[in-house]
Amino acid sequence: MPADPIEIQGPVLVTGANGFIGRHLCSRLASAGVQVHAIVRSTSLRHPIAASEVVVHGVENSLIEVPALIGDLRPTVVFHLATLFAAQHVPADIQRMVDANITFGTLVADAAARTGARLVHTSSAWQHYGGAEYSPVSLYAATKQAMCDIITYFAETAHLEASEVCLFDTYGPDDDRKKLVWLLLEHAATGAPLPMSSGRQLVDLTHVNDVVSALVEVATAPSPGSRVVVRNGSPLTVRALVDLVEQVTGRPLDTQWGTRPSRPREMIDDWVVAGATSSWRPQVSLKDGIAELWTERTASRD
Amino acid sequence: MPADPIEIQGPVLVTGANGFIGRHLCSRLASAGVQVHAIVRSTSLRHPIAASEVVVHGVENSLIEVPALIGDLRPTVVFHLATLFAAQHVPADIQRMVDANITFGTLVADAAARTGARLVHTSSAWQHYGGAEYSPVSLYAATKQAMCDIITYFAETAHLEASEVCLFDTYGPDDDRKKLVWLLLEHAATGAPLPMSSGRQLVDLTHVNDVVSALVEVATAPSPGSRVVVRNGSPLTVRALVDLVEQVTGRPLDTQWGTRPSRPREMIDDWVVAGATSSWRPQVSLKDGIAELWTERTASRD
């Protein structure tokens, strides 16, 4: 991908920089010449960040180190992407989910407000079951809503310039999350039987390059605020996605529909999530995105 | 106060039981013959709970002990009152505010949902600056909103029967919070000069006996859900409150108006906070409540 110029002066800080979207964002920013700093938990340093130009700060004690780091660095923009996802939770997950999705973000938002950094953060379509302004699918979604409400405090009272990017499903190269698109390509390659739920639920998949473009656009928009909804906009059923993967790969998938339980609160009818008008539009079609992944996968196996 | 009968079968659990409202609630419940259990942090055990009939469970590690305690006890109702208040925060407060106001409550709500207990929790008028559905006055208010978001998740997806009691200002006997009414009576007694802000902001003070009645009513209402707003309903300016204290006590207060800064986002015009219809009405007039406190204070000094 060509490195389009990015109009950000001064250093930028990325949290969750060694996650799927964080890695791609760091690469894009660094290749456009932006000075990128990354906060990474010390325990996560084993996942390297691709772009060598990124300054990585390993953090052991967020409470002490995050305010100090942001205070010293004085970034222009903080991209807060760190998150701990769980489709469903057990009680033992609660402490670390709240720590990761709320406490850490509150420290980041507080420090951004104090230093005058613009904050770009991600929220989730799973906060909007049925398209409601708030109706969570999972405890994960509830913790994301909680974080949005805390950021509202800093925006309303502490002059924080904050922008929310609401993500639906995402996919793309170098995805270590082993989510649906990865799984289908894996099974296209091996031919192994694939237990599935009904497959009637919808997915709305945006390529990570388009997600990164949206984050950059929001960070450089003349006036921050409001929510930008990042979605392909053409949701399809899991069954239709399987058809597309079979078409792109030329391989039949041995899907066993109805052999896995459905998750609660899946997207059966399309959800309309309200967002601000934005010039961002997805550029990568789902077919092209999947074809690219398949080509890379096939090439890497040769 | 006579011990009105309370229609709660089985054990009840109170969090924040050694706080101002928690102590009064425990006394009322115990004197009505309800079997009361209290969760108290081990570090807070030095504040005794008045009612000797209350079974106190000191908790060191909420993450492990709270789910186990609720699972063993299987309470009919959990009154979740534990909260950590801060009018304004510094970064070093963030971790313990989120732990106290979100993580602990999430553990409680999760366990209540799993055991079928009804959950009664308190929220704050400070979440509703200007009467908005959500516009927080402080980080404290934002953490309370975050907790409401998370309880919504359990109510919508995990069959939790939850009711929210939204509190404005509260006062009453045995109040160790050293808030406004206490302060005015203290200065009425001593005659010491009292630096104050403009005094133009409104306060809406509900007597703790009325607060306890609201909590009990919500817990025993036939159908849980929705928010009940607990307020006197006749807010008055701090200057008018000082006049009332002078009238009740017969002592002039040496108030020095305008010598302290105002806090951000005080209530200057009355806020209308939407709530469900409820048969609860405050019974204690502000004048009577203050007179009772003054009488007790004077008697205890004899």
Side-chain angles (χ1 to χ4, degrees):
Chain A
M1 129 156 345
D4 291 335
I6 295 175
E7 296 296 325
I8 297 178
Q9 307 298 321
V12 154
L13 183 66
V14 180
T15 76
N18 54 7
F20 171 56
I21 294 167
R23 291 194 305 270
H24 284 270
L25 176 65
C26 285
S27 294
R28 173 88 67 94
L29 291 168
S31 65
V34 175
Q35 182 190 338
V36 184
H37 294 254
I39 293 188
V40 172
R41 273 172 300 155
S42 299
T43 53
S44 303
L45 281 173
R46 59 200 159 81
H47 300 289
I49 292 172
S52 58
E53 304 88 342
V54 173
V55 183
V56 178
H57 304 267
V59 167
E60 287 197 36
N61 184 342
S62 304
L63 187 60
I64 295 165
E65 296 176 58
V66 168
L69 176 62
I70 295 178
D72 290 346
L73 190 61
R74 304 195 81 79
T76 314
V77 180
V78 176
F79 291 95
H80 175 50
L81 306 182
T83 195
L84 183 65
F85 176 77
Q88 292 175 281
H89 79 279
V90 295
D93 298 331
I94 288 174
Q95 176 86 56
R96 60 198 191 97
M97 283 181 75
V98 175
D99 281 352
N101 295 342
I102 305 177
T103 310
F104 181 63
T106 306
L107 287 164
V108 168
D110 183 272
R114 290 178 196 274
T115 56
R118 185 184 284 207
L119 181 70
V120 178
H121 64 107
T122 52
S123 62
S124 166
W126 307 121
Q127 294 162 232
H128 305 282
Y129 178 64
E133 180 53 30
Y134 175 54
S135 181
V137 161
S138 58
L139 180 62
Y140 168 77
T143 62
K144 296 297 280 184
Q145 181 75 20
M147 190 67 242
C148 290
D149 280 337
I150 288 175
I151 288 171
T152 295
Y153 159 70
F154 291 105
E156 288 192 6
T157 75
H159 308 292
L160 176 67
E161 293 192 345
S163 294
E164 174 190 344
V165 174
C166 178
L167 301 177
F168 277 64
D169 305 299
T170 58
Y171 76 104
D174 191 23
D175 188 350
D176 52 356
R177 302 172 303 168
K178 308 205 164 170
K179 295 186 87 165
L180 184 59
V181 171
W182 177 90
L183 188 73
L184 297 182
L185 293 176
E186 183 73 12
H187 282 260
T190 64
L194 179 57
M196 294 290 276
S197 66
S198 75
R200 305 287 181 200
Q201 73 274 30
L202 295 172
V203 289
D204 188 322
L205 287 152
T206 306
H207 192 277
V208 68
N209 288 353
D210 285 328
V211 174
V212 166
S213 295
L215 292 167
V216 169
E217 176 173 315
V218 162
T220 54
S223 56
S226 302
R227 173 198 299 151
V228 172
V229 177
V230 168
R231 60 183 299 183
N232 180 295
S234 304
L236 72 176
T237 63
V238 171
R239 286 179 185 249
L241 177 64
V242 165
D243 290 345
L244 184 63
V245 167
E246 289 180 330
Q247 180 194 334
V248 166
T249 63
R251 306 278 187 101
L253 280 169
D254 184 10
T255 43
Q256 303 179 322
W257 298 113
T259 59
R260 293 186 60 184
S262 293
R263 284 188 189 149
R265 301 198 145 201
E266 293 186 307
M267 183 163 70
I268 302 300
D269 299 307
D270 192 16
W271 300 349
V272 178
V273 177
T277 307
S278 152
S279 61
W280 175 84
R281 296 287 178 278
Q283 302 297 319
V284 184
S285 76
L286 187 54
K287 187 174 178 179
D288 288 351
I290 291 174
E292 179 201 37
L293 289 179
W294 180 248
T295 305
E296 281 183 9
R297 186 189 168 97
T298 314
S300 70
R301 295 298 187 282
D302 289 345
Chain B
M1 128 156 345
D4 291 335
I6 294 176
E7 296 296 326
I8 297 179
Q9 307 300 322
V12 153
L13 183 66
V14 180
T15 76
N18 55 4
F20 172 55
I21 294 168
R23 289 194 305 271
H24 284 270
L25 176 65
C26 285
S27 294
R28 173 86 67 93
L29 291 169
S31 66
V34 176
Q35 182 191 337
V36 184
H37 294 255
I39 293 188
V40 171
R41 273 172 301 154
S42 298
T43 51
S44 304
L45 281 173
R46 59 201 160 82
H47 300 291
I49 293 171
S52 58
E53 304 87 343
V54 174
V55 183
V56 178
H57 304 267
V59 166
E60 288 199 34
N61 183 343
S62 303
L63 187 59
I64 295 165
E65 295 175 59
V66 168
L69 176 61
I70 295 179
D72 290 346
L73 190 61
R74 302 195 83 78
T76 314
V77 180
V78 176
F79 292 95
H80 175 51
L81 306 181
T83 196
L84 184 65
F85 176 77
Q88 292 175 280
H89 79 279
V90 295
D93 298 330
I94 288 174
Q95 175 87 54
R96 60 198 191 97
M97 285 182 73
V98 175
D99 281 351
N101 295 343
I102 306 177
T103 310
F104 180 62
T106 305
L107 287 165
V108 169
D110 182 271
R114 289 178 196 272
T115 57
R118 187 185 282 208
L119 182 71
V120 178
H121 64 107
T122 52
S123 62
S124 167
W126 306 121
Q127 294 162 231
H128 305 282
Y129 178 65
E133 180 51 33
Y134 176 55
S135 181
V137 162
S138 59
L139 180 61
Y140 168 76
T143 63
K144 297 296 279 184
Q145 182 75 19
M147 190 66 241
C148 292
D149 293 337
I150 288 175
I151 288 172
T152 295
Y153 158 70
F154 290 105
E156 288 193 5
T157 75
H159 309 292
L160 177 67
E161 293 192 343
S163 295
E164 175 189 343
V165 173
C166 177
L167 301 176
F168 276 64
D169 305 299
T170 58
Y171 76 105
D174 190 24
D175 189 350
D176 52 355
R177 301 171 304 168
K178 308 206 165 168
K179 295 186 87 164
L180 185 59
V181 171
W182 177 90
L183 189 73
L184 298 181
L185 292 176
E186 183 73 13
H187 282 258
T190 65
L194 179 56
M196 294 290 276
S197 65
S198 77
R200 306 287 182 199
Q201 72 275 29
L202 296 172
V203 288
D204 189 322
L205 287 153
T206 306
H207 192 278
V208 68
N209 288 353
D210 285 328
V211 174
V212 166
S213 295
L215 292 167
V216 169
E217 176 173 316
V218 163
T220 54
S223 55
S226 302
R227 174 198 298 150
V228 171
V229 177
V230 168
R231 60 183 299 184
N232 179 294
S234 304
L236 72 177
T237 63
V238 171
R239 286 178 185 249
L241 177 64
V242 165
D243 290 345
L244 183 64
V245 167
E246 289 179 330
Q247 181 193 332
V248 167
T249 64
R251 308 277 188 98
L253 280 169
D254 184 11
T255 43
Q256 304 180 323
W257 298 114
T259 59
R260 292 187 60 184
S262 294
R263 283 187 188 149
R265 302 198 143 200
E266 292 185 308
M267 183 164 70
I268 302 301
D269 300 308
D270 191 16
W271 301 347
V272 178
V273 177
T277 307
S278 151
S279 61
W280 175 84
R281 297 286 178 280
Q283 301 298 320
V284 184
S285 77
L286 186 54
K287 187 173 179 181
D288 288 351
I290 290 174
E292 179 202 37
L293 290 179
W294 181 248
T295 305
E296 281 182 11
R297 185 189 170 96
T298 315
S300 70
R301 295 297 189 281
D302 286 346

